[in-house]
Amino acid sequence: MKKIGFLGCGKIGQALLKHVKEEGYGEIVFIEDPYVELSGEPVIRKAEESAYEKAELIVECATADVLKEHIDIILKHADLLMFSVTAFSDAEFAQYADTLCRKYNRRIFLPHGAILGLDGIFDGRKVWKEVSIITTKSSKSLGREDKERTVVYEGPTREACRLYPRNVNVHAAIALAGIGFDKTHSKIISDPAVSTNAHTIQLKGDGINITMNIESFAAGAVTGAYTPHSACGSIDRICKETAGKMFV
Ligand SMILES: NC(=O)c1ccc[n+]([C@@H]2O[C@H](COP(=O)([O-])OP(=O)(O)OC[C@H]3O[C@@H](n4cnc5c(N)ncnc54)[C@H](O)[C@@H]3O)[C@@H](O)[C@H]2O)c1
């Protein structure tokens, strides 16, 4: 049983909250979210350090900026499962988070989120010569009003994260697992005609050529239909203590 705190509790957070309660993984010690209405839940609009002191695991499902503001208080008291991975495109922040992990002996869990196979990308990190990712999302999801299919960005992943922090967490996760934010190549396409978030990932190394296509219904939202399921699987791997099979 873990004592779990939530930072942000919208689409992903609420799927996880329901799952944690159904599976009996632990006690929800607080949910910090200035806007959400969740009757019967311990929602706090702005949590004090005393709330974080009670947690063993913080589940972040807010935004990269919110995560950055809270990183000291989180890692001082708890391990972290975080969904706003674009935060790590800020090299100074990434280094600071590493320092805090070492100082307090904390773990940061990086979920596979909207895609599959971060573990495999990480396993091959020494052999990839090229890693690229093309994301096509509805213009609405990207906060744009394009009338036709438009390439809105092509270049290093670091800048993609700066421009579209809420939309390219997948790019950030691949960069982190693989060859880094400056060598990973990102392309973002805004298409007013699509209702899915689609990602094509290509990894090339000597004698290795991998392509993955992932498409998930999103209806203009930032988060597609697959991610809440994937998020629940990630928290299973962190919290499950029962005997049986496990994918690693
Ligand atoms: N890693 C991935 O593959 C992946 C996939 C999809 C989304 N994401 C990211 O995960 C995060 C959550 O996504 P979502 O679809 O659940 O978003 P959402 O918009 O449904 O929920 C975000 C929640 O954060 C809350 N929030 C806003 N400001 C806050 C603050 N200052 N403190 C605490 N909470 C605050 C909002 O009220 C909202 O309830 C986003 O950053 C999103 O970009 C990651």
Side-chain angles (χ1 to χ4, degrees):
M1 291 280 282
K2 276 197 189 300
K3 293 182 190 307
I4 301 173
F6 280 78
L7 177 60
C9 201
K11 186 170 182 176
I12 298 175
Q14 286 174 39
L16 282 169
L17 178 66
K18 181 167 176 275
H19 187 69
V20 164
K21 288 167 74 173
E22 281 169 2
E23 296 293 325
Y25 284 150
E27 182 194 344
I28 311 300
V29 289
F30 70 90
I31 297 169
E32 178 173 350
D33 192 314
Y35 310 111
V36 79
E37 296 298 335
L38 292 170
S39 93
E41 301 297 345
V43 175
I44 304 175
R45 297 299 176 206
K46 182 84 187 99
E48 301 288 326
E49 182 161 1
S50 55
Y52 282 83
E53 272 171 13
K54 295 192 191 104
E56 293 167 292
L57 176 70
I58 299 296
V59 178
E60 178 281 322
C61 316
T63 66
D65 283 344
V66 170
L67 172 68
K68 285 176 165 185
E69 281 166 24
H70 287 75
I71 198 71
D72 286 281
I73 197 172
I74 295 171
L75 292 174
K76 185 172 172 192
H77 298 291
D79 288 336
L80 168 66
L81 167 62
M82 54 173 275
F83 287 85
S84 302
V85 189
T86 52
F88 280 138
S89 65
D90 174 344
E92 209 175 299
F93 172 75
Q95 206 174 12
Y96 185 58
D98 274 349
T99 308
L100 292 176
C101 283
R102 281 196 300 276
K103 179 172 175 187
Y104 297 113
N105 193 25
R106 302 286 177 217
R107 291 180 296 172
I108 296 180
F109 300 105
L110 294 160
H112 63 97
I115 58 159
L116 314 179
L118 282 184
D119 52 351
I121 296 173
F122 181 71
D123 294 345
R125 65 197 178 281
K126 294 202 178 107
V127 300
W128 309 129
K129 296 229 160 97
E130 282 174 44
V131 178
S132 69
I133 168 157
I134 304 171
T135 286
T136 306
K137 287 191 169 187
S138 70
S139 310
K140 186 178 169 206
S141 156
L142 290 163
R144 297 174 55 94
E145 293 178 353
D146 299 304
K147 297 284 175 271
E148 57 190 36
R149 193 177 158 86
T150 310
V151 176
V152 298
Y153 177 77
E154 187 159 14
T157 296
R158 195 180 298 282
E159 181 67 0
C161 294
R162 195 185 65 77
L163 293 171
Y164 293 97
R166 296 210 63 206
N167 290 93
V168 297
N169 287 290
V170 158
H171 296 232
I174 290 169
L176 263 182
I179 57 176
F181 284 89
D182 298 314
K183 290 189 190 145
T184 307
H185 186 82
S186 288
K187 185 170 174 177
I188 307 169
I189 299 168
S190 157
D191 187 340
V194 301
S195 55
T196 57
N197 294 340
H199 310 287
T200 299
I201 298 143
Q202 272 209 311
L203 302 133
K204 292 183 187 169
D206 280 339
I208 311 168
N209 196 343
I210 297 172
T211 304
M212 283 188 276
N213 284 312
I214 289 146
E215 208 171 325
S216 186
F217 183 70
V222 168
T223 299
Y226 174 64
T227 308
H229 300 284
S230 130
C232 291
S234 292
I235 208 156
D236 285 343
R237 284 183 284 279
I238 297 167
C239 293
K240 214 168 203 144
E241 286 171 2
T242 49
K245 292 193 289 307
M246 185 167 181
F247 294 98
V248 294

